[in-house]
Amino acid sequence: MEFSKFLPYILSGVSVGGQYALMAIGYTMVYGILRLINFAHGDIFMSAGLIMVYLATWLPIYVAMPLTIAITVAIGFLVERIAYKPLREAPRMSIMISAIGVSYFIQNFALYLTGGLTKQYPEIPFISRTVEIFGQRTKMVTVITPFLTLFLVIALVTLIKKTKVGMAMRAVSRDFETSRLMGIKINSVISVTFIIGTFLAAVGSMLYFTNYTGVSTISGSMPGLKAFVAAVFGGIGSIPGAVIGAFVIGICENIIKGLGWTTFSDAFTFALLIVILIFKPNGIFGEANTDKV
Amino acid sequence: MDKKTQKRIIIDILLVIALFAGLYVMEKTLPRNSMVFPVLKKGAIYALLAVSMNLLNGFTGLFSLGQAGFMLLGAYTYAILTIPVQSRASVYQYYDGGALTFALPPWLALILAGVVAALFASLIGFAVLRLKSDYLAIATLGFAEIIRAFVQWEAMGPITNGSNVLRKFPYFRSVLVPFAVVGICIFVIVLLLNSSYGRAFKAIRDDEVAAEAMGINLFKHKQMAFVISSFFAGVGGALFAMFNTTVIASTFKSSLTYEILLIVVLGGIGSVSGSVMASFLYVAASEWWLRFLDEPLFIGAFQVPLLKSGFRKVVFSVIIMVVVLFYREGMMGKNELSWEFIKDRLGKLKNKLKNIGKKKVKAEAENE
């Protein structure tokens, strides 16, 4: 096999990887703080796509884009307040079930709105343009995604390392109870986490759906699970880890497609997850944590 | 065994006989296409699936999301083994009639469906049962997806028919058969839960460290719960295949697992009778009673807003969210439906009514 044959797959792998990365950050941050797999995150990603579809029908695209992000962030904030906050003291299983319930609700609500039809995603002028790279024709979004992802990740890491909110977030993820005793407002820190997570998911959804023809009610669940696997792969709680994991998964998945094993491209992700969980449960960048009795 | 328990058992047996007699009479008298029959059948099948999931999630405390995968194994095993030889050419039209040249009787295939699911579970269990709560959930979910990809693989085509539908396998027309199968399976699960193994499961659920300190072999018991639960999920999957009369891999997505999980939550995590009641309630409501929410409704020239296709499911998800957030115990909590439970509840209700009466009298007295 020659390299040029695989180039288009690697290119789209890098692109998809960046989009997974933007989602994976949401998973890894929420898990770091609440120890919760936010099953609804993938569906919020999908709703960002649908909101964009509906807004773009009656608003100019440059108004629709920031509005989509704003509404998605509001949804993420509300989901946390309504479905997760009341269960702070409940066993972990309850809050996970609540997350599954939210996911079920969002999917059904989207099904109701769309009537089960796949909605055509609007064309965002600049990033849908066709460009030529290494002799391959591809969409502009393929080129932009990795750079935009890196930019956002660096901005986020700076936020976490340098600002007061960031310090509070690190403290809460290290020890929930103690940071509460130290006077950190837990609820606002958690809200900020959800706001950042959904903001990145909304940006990711714009890049992701530009590559596909449309948005359907379940188009969020598979990318969501993959982004979660990426977060586990990189070591849950670690942002650079999640980003690297996402690129690895995106590229591997597309190479598998290139080899003609499309049926297994989803299965590969989960096989990777299981291998990681068995041999290196803390991921590549995760810190080992011991259970206290 | 004292007289009281003896009497109880006799009453229970009589109730079961009455139930089956009632079903039989219904089948003879009601029209064939009545909505009651599919609801009862699906309700019974979901009851088994919910109870088998509850055995793992509610009684052993293992949060597994692999139910759809094990159902798929059961459904495929049953369908592959029972398609009559003369129909194979038309079912496996893209694979020259498939690889198998025999067909097994349905009863045997039904048991084998459970056995295949259990075998896979014992293999998977070695790998994943060491993982902690949410990692276990995501790993089992992943396994279910891998299994689903595997049966759709082209190379498996001569056996699984690839991503095409499997059909023409035998199924039961009567409502009595799924009820009998499900009844036996749930009875076995209840016996297991009341045995010393069942108590060990509950001990693991309540406190893993303490259970281990008491000498319970954690891995052995977790593995056992996982394998048994998967066995019944496989049988349930086979029954589900019969109910649908066709099998296709895309039915067994993770949303099916979530559906069953939500039924378990509705009924109460850790209650067999709760799961059974919630299953029938869920199926009846979603397939029958709430159907009207999906139909546009006109009162004169006024169209009632919101009602259109899909609204039923939205209402449903809201109800489920309310249960998850405010009634975390579900219908039954960890209790079981028994004569004592009913008596207890009735007693409480009576007291409440009495108290209300007293308050009224008091309030009236104060007013005067």
Side-chain angles (χ1 to χ4, degrees):
Chain A
M1 295 256 181
E2 54 205 302
F3 179 71
S4 66
K5 207 177 159 194
F6 275 101
L7 189 66
Y9 292 105
I10 291 172
L11 276 181
S12 65
V14 171
S15 168
V16 167
Q19 291 143 15
Y20 289 162
L22 291 177
M23 267 176 106
I25 293 169
Y27 277 106
T28 209
M29 283 172 62
V30 167
Y31 194 93
I33 287 181
L34 285 183
R35 298 279 174 271
L36 159 75
I37 301 175
N38 185 5
F39 279 98
H41 197 56
D43 300 292
I44 289 176
F45 176 82
M46 177 275 294
S47 17
L50 278 184
I51 291 166
M52 182 74 181
V53 168
Y54 283 110
L55 287 181
T57 52
W58 55 279
L59 282 175
I61 198 93
Y62 290 110
V63 183
M65 280 166 68
L67 207 56
T68 302
I69 293 179
I71 295 174
T72 315
V73 166
I75 293 176
F77 173 77
L78 284 178
V79 163
E80 196 278 319
R81 278 293 148 105
I82 294 170
Y84 304 152
K85 192 171 166 239
L87 299 175
R88 279 281 194 275
E89 310 298 328
R92 261 164 81 188
M93 208 198 248
S94 306
I95 182 161
M96 223 154 98
I97 290 167
S98 182
I100 291 175
V102 172
S103 151
Y104 189 69
F105 172 76
I106 295 180
Q107 280 187 21
N108 284 335
F109 192 71
L111 192 70
Y112 171 66
L113 276 185
T114 59
L117 299 171
T118 302
K119 293 281 174 186
Q120 174 93 36
Y121 200 72
E123 211 162 276
I124 303 172
F126 179 59
I127 62 172
S128 324
R129 216 171 53 195
T130 313
V131 290
E132 202 159 299
I133 173 170
F134 302 126
Q136 296 291 337
R137 292 172 68 78
T138 177
K139 280 187 179 171
M140 196 64 190
V141 65
T142 315
V143 186
I144 289 179
T145 305
F147 293 106
L148 186 62
T149 307
L150 280 184
F151 168 73
L152 287 171
V153 168
I154 291 167
L156 179 62
V157 171
T158 325
L159 177 88
I160 289 176
K161 287 264 151 79
K162 304 277 184 207
T163 63
K164 218 169 175 186
V165 186
M167 195 200 273
M169 281 161 81
R170 278 181 288 146
V172 175
S173 72
R174 179 60 56 99
D175 193 328
F176 204 87
E177 286 306 315
T178 314
S179 44
R180 194 199 303 248
L181 292 174
M182 296 292 131
I184 293 174
K185 291 196 184 75
I186 299 275
N187 286 330
S188 34
V189 171
I190 292 171
S191 290
V192 170
T193 311
F194 271 83
I195 286 170
I196 295 174
T198 38
F199 168 78
L200 294 176
V203 174
S205 91
M206 286 176 186
L207 301 172
Y208 181 84
F209 288 117
T210 299
N211 264 339
Y212 291 81
T213 43
V215 191
S216 77
T217 51
I218 52 160
S219 46
S221 45
M222 201 34 97
L225 286 173
K226 283 179 183 163
F228 178 75
V229 175
V232 175
F233 181 85
I236 203 125
S238 149
I239 290 171
V243 173
I244 291 172
F247 278 111
V248 169
I249 286 177
I251 293 169
C252 288
E253 179 187 292
N254 275 282
I255 288 177
I256 288 171
K257 278 184 191 158
L259 289 169
W261 296 71
T262 310
T263 334
F264 286 100
S265 69
D266 291 346
F268 159 77
T269 314
F270 292 107
L272 182 73
L273 169 81
I274 287 155
V275 171
I276 283 283
L277 286 180
I278 291 168
F279 293 106
K280 208 161 178 347
N282 295 315
I284 16 181
F285 291 104
E287 292 162 23
N289 52 343
T290 44
D291 267 341
K292 282 161 262 170
V293 178
Chain B
M1 207 184 280
D2 56 32
K3 268 242 168 87
K4 220 174 165 188
T5 11
Q6 251 172 7
K7 214 167 122 194
R8 286 253 167 85
I9 290 173
I10 292 172
I11 292 178
D12 287 346
I13 292 171
L14 285 177
L15 275 178
V16 171
I17 294 172
L19 171 71
F20 275 86
L23 288 174
Y24 183 75
V25 172
M26 265 165 74
E27 264 196 332
K28 288 286 160 214
T29 51
L30 287 175
R32 268 250 147 254
N33 57 357
S34 162
M35 259 322 278
V36 181
F37 298 120
V39 165
L40 283 175
K41 275 187 201 167
K42 200 175 174 188
I45 296 164
Y46 269 42
L48 175 59
L49 293 167
V51 171
S52 84
M53 194 172 197
N54 210 343
L55 170 66
L56 211 52
N57 291 16
F59 288 97
T60 323
L62 294 171
F63 196 74
S64 157
L65 293 177
Q67 196 77 350
F70 297 117
M71 283 172 68
L72 178 146
L73 287 171
Y76 264 85
T77 309
Y78 176 80
I80 290 166
L81 291 177
T82 55
I83 294 173
V85 178
Q86 64 270 23
S87 313
R88 281 189 188 263
S90 67
V91 175
Y92 289 93
Q93 51 180 330
Y94 303 109
Y95 298 100
D96 299 330
L100 270 66
T101 49
F102 61 92
L104 295 179
W107 289 107
L108 188 59
L110 195 60
I111 295 169
L112 280 176
V115 171
V116 168
L119 272 178
F120 266 82
S122 63
L123 289 176
I124 294 169
F126 275 113
V128 298
L129 286 177
R130 290 184 292 168
L131 302 172
K132 289 264 154 21
S133 59
D134 28 14
Y135 284 113
L136 175 69
I138 202 93
T140 43
L141 192 74
F143 262 116
E145 286 295 322
I146 293 173
I147 292 170
R148 201 163 65 82
F150 200 69
V151 298
Q152 286 177 297
W153 187 21
E154 279 298 299
M156 291 289 285
I159 298 170
T160 62
N161 211 8
S163 47
N164 307 306
V165 68
L166 285 169
R167 57 206 160 82
K168 294 194 174 167
F169 48 82
Y171 55 89
F172 302 107
R173 283 177 200 288
S174 166
V175 137
L176 296 174
V177 180
F179 263 80
V181 176
V182 168
I184 293 168
C185 291
I186 291 180
F187 182 65
V188 171
I189 294 177
V190 171
L191 284 185
L192 175 81
L193 285 174
N194 290 333
S195 71
S196 67
Y197 292 115
R199 283 193 287 276
F201 293 164
K202 286 177 209 163
I204 293 174
R205 170 192 68 192
D206 292 338
D207 192 332
E208 219 168 89
V209 181
E212 198 172 20
M214 299 306 286
I216 294 173
N217 183 339
L218 284 187
F219 182 74
K220 185 185 136 195
H221 283 91
K222 282 183 178 178
Q223 176 82 332
M224 196 172 156
F226 193 58
V227 168
I228 293 172
S229 162
S230 307
F231 176 86
F232 289 113
V235 174
L239 290 172
F240 191 61
M242 286 188 228
F243 173 77
N244 287 333
T245 70
T246 54
V247 174
I248 187 159
S250 57
T251 321
F252 301 93
K253 287 190 176 144
S254 49
S255 50
L256 185 63
T257 307
Y258 295 162
E259 203 178 341
I260 311 251
L261 174 71
L262 294 173
I263 291 176
V264 171
V265 173
L266 278 182
I269 302 173
S271 166
V272 172
S273 41
S275 291
V276 174
M277 288 192 289
S279 302
F280 282 102
L281 200 65
Y282 176 88
V283 172
S286 71
E287 306 276 315
W288 191 14
W289 298 335
L290 294 182
R291 275 272 170 210
F292 74 92
L293 291 173
D294 274 7
E295 311 291 335
L297 178 68
F298 289 92
I299 301 175
F302 170 72
Q303 184 179 5
V304 181
L306 295 176
L307 295 186
K308 75 167 195 187
S309 171
F311 190 59
R312 170 177 58 115
K313 287 209 152 177
V314 176
V315 171
F316 235 91
S317 355
V318 172
I319 295 174
I320 284 169
M321 278 316 290
V322 169
V323 171
V324 170
L325 288 177
F326 302 110
Y327 305 95
R328 230 182 300 148
E329 295 282 277
M331 286 158 62
M332 301 292 289
K334 284 195 177 88
N335 301 307
E336 292 297 343
L337 190 68
S338 64
W339 296 116
E340 282 89 359
F341 181 79
I342 295 173
K343 227 189 239 168
D344 186 56
R345 278 291 145 101
L346 282 179
K348 272 186 190 160
L349 200 70
K350 222 190 225 166
N351 276 340
K352 235 183 206 170
L353 288 177
K354 237 186 223 163
N355 283 341
I356 291 171
K358 263 184 202 162
K359 263 183 203 159
K360 245 189 197 161
V361 172
K362 221 178 175 183
E364 273 164 18
E366 273 170 9
N367 279 344
E368 278 167 17

